[in-house]
Amino acid sequence: MTTLALPRVKRISPTVLRSAAIWTGATVLAFSLARVFDFETPIPVIVLGSIIGITYGLLAVGLVLVFRSNRIINFAHGEVGAFAAALFGLFTAKYGLPYYVVLPLALLLGAGTGALAEVGVVRRLRNAPKLMSIVATLGVGQFLVLFGLLLNNQAGAGALFPEPPQIGFLFRPFEIGALRVTGAYYGMLVLGPVTVLLLAVFLKYSRFGLAIRSAAANPEAARMAGIPAARMSSLAWALAGALSALTAVLTQPTRGISSGEAFGPGLLLRALAGAVLARMNSLPVALAGGLALGIVEQLLLWNKPESGLVEVVLFGIILLTLLLQRQRGARDEDKGSWAAVQALRPVPEVLGRLWLVRNLGLIVGAMALAVAVVLPRFISNANSITMVSIMGFAVVGLSVGIITGLGGQLSLGQFAVGAVGAWASYEVSSRIGHFELSFLYAGLAGAVASLVIGLPALRIRGLFLTVTTLSFALVTPSFLLQQDFMLGAGVDPGRPIVGDTPLDTGKLYYYFALPVLVLTLLLARNVRGGGFGRLLTAVRDNEDAAKAFTVRASLVKTQGFLLAGFLAGIGGALYGHALSRIGSSTFPTRFSILVVVMVVIGGISLLSGPIIGALFVIGVPAFLPLDSAGLVASALGQLLIVLYLPAGLGGLAEPLRDRIVRRLGRRAGIDVDDAYNEVPAAKGSTGGASVRERTVPVPVGERLRPPGSTLLKVDGLAKSFGGVHAVRGISFEVKAGETMGLIGPNGAGKTTTFELVGGFVRADRGRVQFEGQDVSTMGPEARGRLGMIRSFQDAALFPTLTVAECVRLSLERISPTAFFPSVLGLPTGERQKRLLVQELLAFMGLEGYRTSQISQLSTGTRRITELACLVALQPTLLLLDEPSSGIAQRETEALGQLLVDLKDQLQLTILIIEHDIPLVMRLSDRILAMANGEIIALGPPDVVRSDPAVIEAYLGGDIRAIDRSDSQRAPAKALR
């Protein structure tokens, strides 16, 4: 019998498939618009769209390059090219140097500027949250455009820029119907794809290209292999800068360069849309995405000019693309980086008990309020309106402080949300004349708008919220506000009326605005000092750990967006009613960006940061008008503040505060030097006594299963990551009251098994049952509320929370924080939590660390803090992931005894991953050994320890390798 040999079909590249899908989608969209809305699709318009789209694609490719190297979005990408193009125009148009002589120099200038931005800005902020780098690139972009215009004041005139001179038949203008393809268009059409092709070849085949890709994929592994990851990052930024310079040089004859929208948010958004379509990963797909967007844009402009539909379609594409993208993992977060922007560290507890120290902030605030009350007596009505505008910006800034400072989500659309609030306030006040009610409706409208633009953040972590919010900031003035049902061509918003008194002067309206600012400040203060602020901070610092603590991360984010939108809506209404007329030009896109820069400069971690930033960023130019050189100096000054004072101007108050606190402490007879300098003594985990001799200060729930019954059942769990089969259909049971150890070499699948059991990763197949209930579809928060609590190997916890706050957070399972009471400052449940936290800290010997931030603790102390949190969570099943990781051998022995004692008192069942074989063998009733994603042994410790398969896979064939540590128990006090 013969078999028919079939030709082997070559697999099509996913990149090709994705590019083809984008092209197909753009074509379908174009023809759908043509059929549904009777749009015309002339060939010249499609050609023009392809030409313009190539420029978007080039910029998108540069954004992808930068994102792959640093995981940040470079908001100065377009301005880097604009700066190089401005100097290019200076030497060609003004000084007459040959085009093709200056062009390579312009590309080198763009490359050098990009590399300098990476070295001087991004690398300096590498320990700060990534959004700080984004804000810094905003400052870099503003400075570069202003500096470029200062050097070449004709850069804003596109008609003065030269086009590529003709070389033979190259760059010779020609016509396609009514479209004249000029030399500039010719250059875009030819040089764009060729450049991306050369770049792709360089990255794929050259030695430096392979090094860039390796450093981007795994910087640590690249460094170990001898690849200088930092230099490769600079090279990636240089390549992106050169791409931006080429794009700017080719587009400047048709676009021009200005400090406004030419190379600002509008162009950047189109490039970002292309990059998002490429998932910030594929260069060819980014080019194809930009090309498709260019075609759609030109067809919309041809059929519906001045309609603003382009921004609407872009917003829809970005929102839909991000919502449909696969949910991103959780291990690429900036754990611990937020500590770098904390402006005021907690004062020592012994000093914090003093009344004056505890209320120092309120006293300073009262003094500032007194100054604000008498200020209108010394300024004019016009200046009073300016101060009201500053207040409006400050209130919107408070919303940024909540969603970004506490929530960790960078929103570049908060002033656009404020515009929605201003419209709602106008509609309500013009109909019923009730201004107090109109401000309430303004807040509600802002809350709804904020929730809509924040939807992707509920699914995708990271910096992609900036893309949707920037898109909303563009679509609001260009389309939304221009509609007749909103502000149309502009309206008179009217001034508030209190009783029978119209607030028709600047000073009268000032006294209406000041209480609004104070009330929103009190609201923000309640959030920062209450339970809801603690939840936001926990999700920001470490979302997975927050979920393990039963915090509903998605709900907390949703509430954060709603609250931030509410404040932004009120701020927009406050600002809008200060003006004689409001319209689309009242809320430009740059204001949404400006308010973020303002908050960062003031201090993103401070309640007063938005006010300080508004006075500096808005007030200084308003009261001290600047010329071009002054604007450049101001932009440079703001950038330097971000770079050298990441905690903001408010951080400068810390030395003064500490000086005052020290003086107050000395007057009270406190040794302030010891209070500030003394590291808490290692008192032992229970004050020197065994846990068995004391009672755990939390109630122990009734055991739902008798000892020996099945508590956890894992049936056929499997998980693959691409072609890697991490877990291959494993099944096992954990009995109530037992401790099961999970061992295996690196890469055996232990952590993935924990992820699957804990609900942090969705299994490809298989089931997890807990207490007889199928929990396979539940997330980690829901499993945690059932009693399945997980710890993490790094014990990072929540770096910017104090020890007391961290333990209080762990009480969310038994006493969840109520949103509205917390925001309103009602003390519901907080007093009881505080008392229980005090007992837990005393029980675990952590009293001296009460006000210490988690990031300041040693690994051993963090482990004790983690155990205190686990006790407060009252687990039924405890999943411990390498609890001895990072601590010394003697501390490991003490940890083992502590776990045994806690298990007995809390009636726990434990599933533990541990590489310390003596520790896990001593703790466990049964051992489950894994290798290559499969179970190779399961049974009592002595049996598994001697199993040949375990010895071969885990211990390299030599059983003596397990004798790493002494198995004798040590007192618990060693664990510090």
Side-chain angles (χ1 to χ4, degrees):
M1 181 177 178
T2 60
T3 57
L4 180 63
L6 297 177
R8 184 178 180 182
V9 179
K10 186 177 181 181
R11 183 183 177 187
I12 301 176
S13 167
T15 299
V16 175
L17 288 175
R18 205 175 307 151
S19 301
I22 291 174
W23 268 101
T24 303
T27 304
V28 170
L29 179 61
F31 282 101
S32 298
L33 291 172
R35 291 183 63 85
V36 176
F37 298 103
D38 195 26
F39 275 21
E40 297 178 357
T41 56
I43 295 299
V45 174
I46 294 177
V47 173
L48 178 61
S50 301
I51 294 171
I52 299 297
I54 287 174
T55 65
Y56 299 160
L58 279 176
L59 289 173
V61 166
L63 288 173
V64 170
L65 265 177
V66 167
F67 186 83
R68 285 171 57 174
S69 66
N70 296 97
R71 291 298 184 268
I72 71 165
I73 300 173
N74 179 18
F75 275 77
H77 184 50
E79 285 84 349
V80 167
F83 175 69
L87 295 186
F88 173 86
L90 179 68
F91 288 105
T92 53
K94 191 170 183 179
Y95 295 112
L97 295 179
Y99 187 99
Y100 294 112
V101 171
V102 182
L103 180 60
L105 299 178
L107 298 183
L108 287 174
L109 179 60
T113 305
L116 184 61
E118 193 276 336
V119 173
V121 177
V122 176
R123 198 176 299 179
R124 180 172 183 81
L125 295 172
R126 62 184 177 274
N127 294 325
K130 285 184 169 52
L131 64 85
M132 291 295 294
S133 295
I134 290 182
V135 173
T137 61
L138 289 169
V140 169
Q142 182 184 15
F143 169 74
L144 287 176
V145 168
L146 291 173
F147 189 45
L149 289 173
L150 182 66
L151 296 176
N152 181 10
N153 56 13
Q154 296 180 346
L160 300 178
F161 285 12
E163 298 185 5
Q166 183 176 332
I167 304 176
F169 66 90
L170 288 177
F171 307 115
R172 179 185 298 172
F174 62 93
E175 285 77 25
I176 300 179
L179 173 66
R180 178 174 175 79
V181 180
T182 64
Y185 285 154
Y186 200 135
M188 299 177 206
L189 196 60
V190 174
L191 294 180
V194 170
T195 301
V196 174
L197 177 62
L198 293 175
L199 181 61
V201 171
F202 170 79
L203 291 175
K204 188 170 184 178
Y205 297 107
S206 75
R207 177 165 153 262
F208 286 104
L210 292 173
I212 290 176
R213 291 164 53 203
S214 301
N218 192 331
E220 293 299 327
R223 276 190 284 269
M224 292 179 66
I227 298 174
R231 294 181 186 177
M232 293 304 102
S233 175
S234 299
L235 179 57
W237 277 70
L239 292 172
L243 279 176
S244 181
L246 177 63
T247 305
V249 168
L250 293 176
T251 58
Q252 60 181 346
T254 58
R255 184 180 293 269
I257 299 171
S258 68
S259 59
E261 298 297 321
F263 274 80
L267 180 62
L268 178 67
L269 180 66
R270 286 148 174 81
L272 276 173
V276 167
L277 286 171
R279 299 182 180 180
M280 305 299 289
N281 184 55
S282 172
L283 304 185
V285 175
L287 179 64
L291 199 56
L293 291 171
I295 294 172
V296 172
E297 176 192 59
Q298 291 305 310
L299 287 174
L300 290 172
L301 291 176
W302 173 262
N303 289 277
K304 295 288 183 180
E306 307 298 331
S307 66
L309 277 178
V310 174
E311 280 72 20
V312 175
V313 171
L314 279 174
F315 178 68
I317 290 173
I318 290 171
L319 194 64
L320 187 63
T321 301
L322 290 178
L323 288 175
L324 292 179
Q325 279 190 15
R326 183 182 304 171
Q327 188 167 2
R328 292 182 178 264
R331 300 295 182 259
D332 57 349
E333 298 166 356
D334 299 323
K335 293 180 183 178
S337 63
W338 282 93
V341 296
Q342 299 302 299
L344 300 177
R345 308 289 177 181
V347 298
E349 183 182 11
V350 64
L351 294 171
R353 297 193 190 109
L354 300 176
W355 186 91
L356 283 175
V357 174
R358 191 169 62 251
N359 295 281
L360 187 60
L362 285 176
I363 295 171
V364 174
M367 294 171 59
L369 180 60
V371 173
V373 169
V374 302
L375 183 62
R377 296 179 178 271
F378 304 98
I379 60 177
S380 64
N381 277 308
N383 286 336
S384 295
I385 290 297
T386 300
M387 291 302 300
V388 171
S389 298
I390 292 174
M391 291 182 195
F393 270 87
V395 174
V396 177
L398 289 174
S399 76
V400 176
I402 289 175
I403 195 64
T404 302
L406 291 179
Q409 303 283 346
L410 178 58
S411 173
L412 295 178
Q414 290 305 103
F415 213 84
V417 173
V420 175
W423 161 75
S425 182
Y426 158 73
E427 290 288 344
V428 174
S429 62
S430 62
R431 283 175 167 77
I432 66 175
H434 198 307
F435 280 90
E436 292 83 357
L437 190 60
S438 76
F439 272 66
L440 174 61
Y441 275 96
L444 294 176
V448 173
S450 179
L451 180 61
V452 171
I453 64 176
L455 285 175
L458 304 180
R459 177 174 174 80
I460 299 177
R461 306 184 193 181
L463 303 172
F464 289 99
L465 180 67
T466 60
V467 184
T468 56
T469 54
L470 177 63
S471 179
F472 184 74
L474 280 163
V475 78
T476 298
S478 64
F479 176 79
L480 194 60
L481 296 181
Q482 294 184 21
Q483 302 307 304
D484 292 335
F485 64 85
M486 292 198 75
L487 302 182
V491 298
D492 180 1
R495 288 282 175 82
I497 300 174
V498 177
D500 296 327
T501 305
L503 308 181
D504 52 2
T505 68
K507 293 184 178 181
L508 288 175
Y509 187 53
Y510 176 96
Y511 282 115
F512 175 86
L514 186 59
V516 174
L517 174 63
V518 172
L519 288 174
T520 53
L521 270 171
L522 290 176
L523 196 68
R525 180 175 180 269
N526 292 339
V527 173
R528 287 183 175 271
F532 181 63
R534 191 164 57 243
L535 294 178
L536 277 173
T537 303
V539 173
R540 177 200 72 188
D541 277 5
N542 192 341
E543 185 171 334
D544 277 342
K547 289 180 177 179
F549 278 36
T550 73
V551 174
R552 300 179 181 180
S554 295
L555 178 61
V556 170
K557 289 181 184 179
T558 300
Q559 292 169 336
F561 284 121
L562 289 171
L563 182 58
F566 183 81
L567 290 177
I570 292 176
L574 187 66
Y575 175 75
H577 285 294
L579 307 176
S580 59
R581 194 169 185 82
I582 59 174
S584 59
S585 61
T586 311
F587 302 93
T589 303
R590 63 184 180 88
F591 279 8
S592 289
I593 297 175
L594 184 65
V595 77
V596 174
V597 175
M598 176 189 84
V599 174
V600 170
I601 286 176
I604 200 167
S605 66
L606 287 175
L607 175 65
S608 59
I611 298 176
I612 297 171
L615 289 171
F616 183 82
V617 176
I618 309 298
V620 171
F623 293 107
L624 296 173
L626 302 173
D627 57 11
S628 297
L631 290 174
V632 173
S634 176
L636 179 60
Q638 293 177 18
L639 176 61
L640 292 176
I641 290 173
V642 175
L643 290 179
Y644 291 94
L645 293 173
L649 292 173
L652 297 175
E654 184 171 16
L656 177 61
R657 182 207 63 176
D658 288 346
R659 189 178 304 171
I660 295 173
V661 169
R662 285 174 180 273
R663 182 169 298 180
L664 293 173
R666 291 190 183 97
R667 288 180 57 184
I670 298 173
D671 190 338
V672 295
D673 292 330
D674 285 347
Y676 269 96
N677 300 326
E678 181 180 359
V679 177
K683 301 177 182 178
S685 63
T686 60
S690 171
V691 176
R692 294 181 184 274
E693 301 171 8
R694 305 178 64 174
T695 303
V696 179
V698 294
V700 179
E702 296 183 2
R703 303 181 72 160
L704 301 180
R705 294 278 175 176
S709 61
T710 299
L711 182 68
L712 175 71
K713 183 177 181 180
V714 174
D715 185 14
L717 277 188
K719 183 65 182 178
S720 297
F721 299 96
V724 178
H725 301 290
V727 175
R728 304 167 182 259
I730 66 172
S731 301
F732 62 90
E733 294 180 356
V734 179
K735 305 297 183 180
E738 78 169 333
T739 297
M740 175 180 281
L742 184 56
I743 66 172
N746 290 331
K750 306 183 300 298
T751 299
T752 303
T753 300
F754 254 41
E755 300 280 275
L756 296 170
V757 171
F760 291 91
V761 173
R762 183 65 59 88
D764 295 335
R765 65 179 184 275
R767 294 192 309 162
V768 177
Q769 290 181 302
F770 181 66
E771 295 185 331
Q773 180 180 355
D774 192 338
V775 298
S776 304
T777 59
M778 292 183 180
E781 309 100 310
R783 300 188 196 195
R785 288 191 293 274
L786 293 176
M788 185 190 298
I789 305 298
R790 186 213 161 144
S791 72
F792 292 89
Q793 179 180 346
D794 56 8
L797 294 175
F798 311 99
T800 62
L801 292 183
T802 65
V803 170
E805 290 171 337
C806 192
V807 176
R808 192 180 300 184
L809 178 76
S810 64
L811 297 174
E812 287 296 316
R813 185 189 172 211
I814 60 175
S815 180
T817 296
F819 174 67
F820 285 106
S822 178
V823 170
L824 295 177
L826 302 177
T828 306
E830 286 298 309
R831 178 176 175 80
Q832 291 80 0
K833 288 183 182 179
R834 188 180 303 111
L835 294 175
L836 186 53
V837 166
Q838 289 176 355
E839 294 180 17
L840 275 169
L841 293 181
F843 174 78
M844 301 298 291
L846 293 168
E847 306 101 313
Y849 298 88
R850 180 183 183 83
T851 58
S852 299
Q853 288 183 309
I854 298 297
S855 60
Q856 300 172 322
L857 303 180
S858 66
T859 303
T861 307
R862 283 206 318 273
R863 290 290 179 193
I864 290 294
T865 304
E866 183 182 46
L867 286 175
C869 294
L870 295 177
V871 169
L873 283 162
Q874 300 183 29
T876 303
L877 171 64
L878 189 56
L879 308 175
L880 292 176
D881 190 353
E882 296 195 39
S884 71
S885 176
I887 61 178
Q889 182 59 41
R890 182 171 176 78
E891 293 175 331
T892 298
E893 296 159 359
L895 173 66
Q897 181 60 48
L898 187 58
L899 289 175
V900 170
D901 293 345
L902 287 175
K903 177 191 172 184
D904 291 342
Q905 280 212 27
L906 294 174
Q907 303 175 17
L908 295 177
T909 303
I910 297 178
L911 178 61
I912 178 173
I913 295 177
E914 185 52 66
H915 279 295
D916 189 308
I917 299 300
L919 174 64
V920 73
M921 293 290 175
R922 175 162 58 90
L923 291 176
S924 302
D925 300 300
R926 289 191 299 155
I927 296 290
L928 185 154
M930 294 183 64
N932 299 319
E934 298 176 326
I935 297 175
I936 58 174
L938 176 60
D942 290 341
V943 174
V944 173
R945 185 175 183 269
S946 304
D947 191 293
V950 174
I951 296 173
E952 180 63 31
Y954 192 94
L955 305 172
D958 187 358
I959 196 171
R960 292 174 299 176
I962 70 173
D963 297 324
R964 182 176 70 86
S965 62
D966 185 4
S967 61
Q968 294 180 352
R969 295 181 178 184
K973 65 181 181 180
L975 192 61
R976 195 92 53 195

